[in-house]
């Protein structure tokens, strides 16, 4: 599925924020998580699951997903055991498969274009769209921003 990192920063610290995010991302892809953080992440994931299947609507939605994808009920009942079984090595392999190299990431920056355009160009081609334009229309008609 999709992956996103989000942040808010002052316009003048945009470059520093992007560089820090990229440094963190590259480190995560290269080294994974330390033992303490890995255990914390597993506990967090375990804690997020039960609230997703609390109400009748949520359970019905989950059952519909299982049926739609042809998955067994064990997808739900065995979830915690599968989370517990994940090892740091398995997580690192999954990250290598699922997370693209930093050079292949797409950035979406929202701010005063004239002030962040040069910074944005450091990371690749820049496409600009008015904030009030519907996103799909902006993407379909996107052209690289001319040098300004």
């Amino acid at each position: 599925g999709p992956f996103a990192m989000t942040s808010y920063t002052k316009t003048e610290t945009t470059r520093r924020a992007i560089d820090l995010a990229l440094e963190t991302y590259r480190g995560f892809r290269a080294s994974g998580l330390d033992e303490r953080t890995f255990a914390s992440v597993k506990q967090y994931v375990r804690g997020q699951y039960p609230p997703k299947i609390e109400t009748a609507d949520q359970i019905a939605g989950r059952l519909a997903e299982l049926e739609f994808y042809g998955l067994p009920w064990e997808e739900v009942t065995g979830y915690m055991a599968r989370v517990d079984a994940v090892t740091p090595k398995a997580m690192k392999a999954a990250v290598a498969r699922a997370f693209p190299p930093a050079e292949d990431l797409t950035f979406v920056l929202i701010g005063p274009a004239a002030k962040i355009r040069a910074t944005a160009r450091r990371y690749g081609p820049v496409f600009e769209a008015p904030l009030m334009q519907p996103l799909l229309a902006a993407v379909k008609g996107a052209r690289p921003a001319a040098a300004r």
Side-chain angles (χ1 to χ4, degrees):
F3 163 76
M5 290 189 299
T6 60
S7 180
Y8 299 91
T9 191
K10 297 179 210 170
T11 300
E12 54 274 6
T13 58
T14 300
R15 179 177 170 183
R16 198 169 39 207
I18 293 171
D19 287 345
L20 178 59
L22 286 171
E23 178 184 331
T24 302
Y25 181 80
R26 286 183 179 115
F28 175 64
R29 283 194 84 238
S31 305
L33 301 173
D34 62 63
E35 191 174 314
R36 181 175 172 202
T37 305
F38 181 73
S40 176
V41 167
K42 282 177 68 168
Q43 190 60 35
Y44 175 79
V45 170
R46 286 177 55 83
Q48 293 301 302
Y49 189 65
K52 292 180 181 179
I53 54 171
E54 288 181 327
T55 69
D57 284 349
Q58 290 170 322
I59 293 168
R62 190 65 176 123
L63 290 172
E65 284 178 14
L66 294 175
E67 182 64 28
F68 180 80
Y69 292 109
L71 299 171
W73 180 241
E74 288 75 30
E75 275 296 305
V76 173
T77 60
Y79 180 79
M80 297 295 197
R82 288 193 311 280
V83 169
D84 288 341
V86 175
T87 64
K89 183 178 179 181
M91 187 220 47
K92 194 169 185 317
V95 167
R97 279 191 318 273
F99 288 66
E103 296 72 31
D104 293 341
L105 296 177
T106 298
F107 295 82
V108 176
L109 306 176
I110 299 174
K115 292 181 179 178
I116 62 175
R117 186 178 294 118
T119 295
R121 284 195 175 112
R122 291 177 41 81
Y123 307 98
V126 173
F127 298 87
E128 294 181 19
L131 189 57
M132 299 308 292
Q133 182 176 0
L135 184 58
L136 200 50
V139 171
K140 282 182 176 179
R143 299 280 182 266
R148 296 179 191 175

